[in-house]
Structure formats: C-alpha cells, structure tokens
C-alpha cells in the first residue's frame, strides 16, 4: 500500500468512525427523549388521577385548591408552591393555599425570618397577610400579562425576595397564570425543587398546560 492509499484508508476509517459515533449519539438522544416523554406522561397521568379524585368528592373550593397545589407540586417535583387568586376588585392577588415552605413575596423584617422557618402556621399567616398589586413583581406581572415565567438565576432578579435562610432562599422559581374560559383567575407559583436541579422549560410547559 503506497502513501496515498494509506492516507485514503485512514481518512475513510476516520469518516466511518465519526459517522458511527454520530449515529450512536443520535440513538442515545432518541432513547433519552423517549424516556423523558414516558416520564412526562407518567407525571401528567398522575396529576390527572389526583385531580380526578378531587372531583369525585364533595369538597369546598379551598379544599379543591389545596388538592390542586399539592398535585401540582408533586408533579413538578417542587419543594413548595402557592396559589394566589385575584380579589373581588380584580386588582390585587392574595395567597389562598400554600404547600411547603413557600417564600413570602415581600421579605418580612429580618428578626422574623427564624419564625417563618420554624413555624409553618406563622409562615402561612404571613403569606396570606400580604397582597400583590396587578403588575407588581413576578406574580403581579404574570397575572397582568397572562404569560408564564421561569426564573433560572433568582439571585440576579431584583423582583424576587432575598432570604438568608436556606429553606426560604429561592434557587429556582416559576409562575403560571390560572386561566378559566379565557379569564385570568390568579397565579400558581412554585419555588425550588426536590431534585436540587432548577426548573426547566419542560417543567414550565407542563405546569402551564395543567394550570
């Protein structure tokens, strides 16, 4: 084999190896995508099953909302979540139900932070005592525009409250509008994940479709 024949052989071998590697990676991506779709389907089916149980029982509105936020938090693998509804004036949002240690939209005085962490009831009372104007911050903005929002870098976003305590510190955040018959009723928000990974576009898309 002369030099050029050997060079051609090496080039063809390299091209073949590259094509095999590319095909192998493509197959891995297809399998990963398939697994992801199966997981998403399971999450949605689990949510629909939970919601189905809600409507088979004679529950009050607040109890239904509690079930919805609980199902949504579990589906998105979030650590906490809350549903904020517009008041009778349609100008302000009020926290109605909370699941987990959801960080209050407005930072209370520093000396109260330890109370918020140690007392679930006190945290819930603090959240329900705060109201958010239409267009104010992330929650008010989502209620006003009707568009979901995903925050990947909370530390760089001044619209989110800052907490020193690890339990309340926001590491990832998303908020979606609650819409019924083209009317915005409020906002469903979630903070942090149980997997320690940030929310991504698939989480936002999933929760948006559920809301």
């Amino acid at each position: 084999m002369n030099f050029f024949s050997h060079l051609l052989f090496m080039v063809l071998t390299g091209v073949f190896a590259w094509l095999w590697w590319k095909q192998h990676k493509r197959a891995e991506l297809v399998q990963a995508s398939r697994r992801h779709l199966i997981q998403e389907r399971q999450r949605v089916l689990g949510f629909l099953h939970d919601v189905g149980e809600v409507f088979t029982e004679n529950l009050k509105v607040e109890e239904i909302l509690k079930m919805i936020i609980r199902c949504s938090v579990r589906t998105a693998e979030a650590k906490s979540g809350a549903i904020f509804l517009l008041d009778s004036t349609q100008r302000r949002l009020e926290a109605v139900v909370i699941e987990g240690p959801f960080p209050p939209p407005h930072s209370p005085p520093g000396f109260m932070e330890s109370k918020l962490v140690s007392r679930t009831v006190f945290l819930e009372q603090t959240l329900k005592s705060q109201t958010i104007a239409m267009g104010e911050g992330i929650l008010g903005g989502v209620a006003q525009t009707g568009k979901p929002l995903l925050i990947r870098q909370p530390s760089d976003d001044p619209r989110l409250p800052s907490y020193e305590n690890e339990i309340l510190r926001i590491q990832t955040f998303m908020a979606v509008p609650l819409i019924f018959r083209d009317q915005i009723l409020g906002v469903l928000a979630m903070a942090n994940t149980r997997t320690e990974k940030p929310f991504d576009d698939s989480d936002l898309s999933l929760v948006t479709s559920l809301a």
Side-chain angles (χ1 to χ4, degrees):
M1 181 181 294
N2 60 34
F3 172 77
F4 291 104
S5 297
H6 181 73
L7 180 62
L8 178 61
F9 175 76
M10 293 297 292
V11 170
L12 290 175
T13 301
V15 170
F16 175 78
W18 179 79
L19 288 173
W20 179 88
W21 177 83
K22 187 175 182 181
Q23 189 67 24
H24 181 68
K25 285 296 180 182
R26 184 177 298 169
E28 285 184 343
L29 288 174
V30 169
Q31 290 179 354
S33 178
R34 189 174 299 164
R35 287 195 299 268
H36 179 71
L37 287 174
I38 292 174
Q39 290 174 350
E40 291 296 296
R41 185 183 302 166
Q42 290 174 339
R43 290 165 69 185
V44 172
L45 288 176
F47 178 87
L48 293 176
H49 176 267
D50 291 338
V51 172
E53 290 185 345
V54 170
F55 291 103
T56 59
E57 301 177 19
N58 186 19
L59 301 176
K60 296 179 181 179
V61 173
E62 186 173 348
E63 292 173 329
I64 291 175
L65 291 175
K66 284 181 179 179
M67 288 290 291
I68 289 175
I69 190 60
R70 191 173 299 129
C71 297
S72 299
V73 164
R74 186 167 62 187
T75 301
E77 296 184 297
K79 282 187 176 179
S80 64
I83 290 179
F84 298 81
L85 296 183
L86 288 169
D87 64 7
S88 58
T89 68
Q90 298 292 299
R91 294 179 181 178
R92 302 193 72 85
L93 289 167
E94 299 175 338
V96 179
V97 292
I98 300 103
E99 179 73 11
F102 189 84
H106 302 300
S107 298
F111 70 90
M112 294 175 63
E113 192 167 320
S114 60
K115 276 189 176 182
L116 291 177
V117 174
S118 61
R119 298 183 183 180
T120 303
V121 175
F122 186 70
L123 174 58
E124 187 169 331
Q125 289 174 346
T126 300
L127 274 162
K128 290 186 175 182
S129 69
Q130 298 181 357
T131 61
I132 304 159
M134 285 287 280
E136 178 187 352
I138 290 176
L139 300 177
V142 170
Q144 187 174 60
T145 64
K147 295 180 180 179
L149 193 60
L150 172 65
I151 307 296
R152 290 188 171 89
Q153 297 292 335
S155 59
D156 299 331
D157 198 314
R159 295 173 297 177
L160 287 171
S162 177
Y163 292 102
E164 294 183 3
N165 191 285
E166 187 177 352
I167 295 177
L168 295 177
R169 189 182 304 135
I170 299 175
Q171 299 172 337
T172 181
F173 191 89
M174 64 178 172
V176 301
L178 286 171
I179 300 176
F180 180 69
R181 294 181 179 175
D182 298 326
Q183 181 180 358
I184 297 176
L185 304 179
V187 176
L188 189 156
M190 297 186 194
N192 304 328
T193 65
R194 295 196 301 269
T195 62
E196 304 304 329
K197 295 180 180 179
F199 295 122
D200 57 25
D201 291 330
S202 65
D203 294 316
L204 185 67
S205 177
L206 176 64
V207 176
T208 299
S209 64
L210 296 176

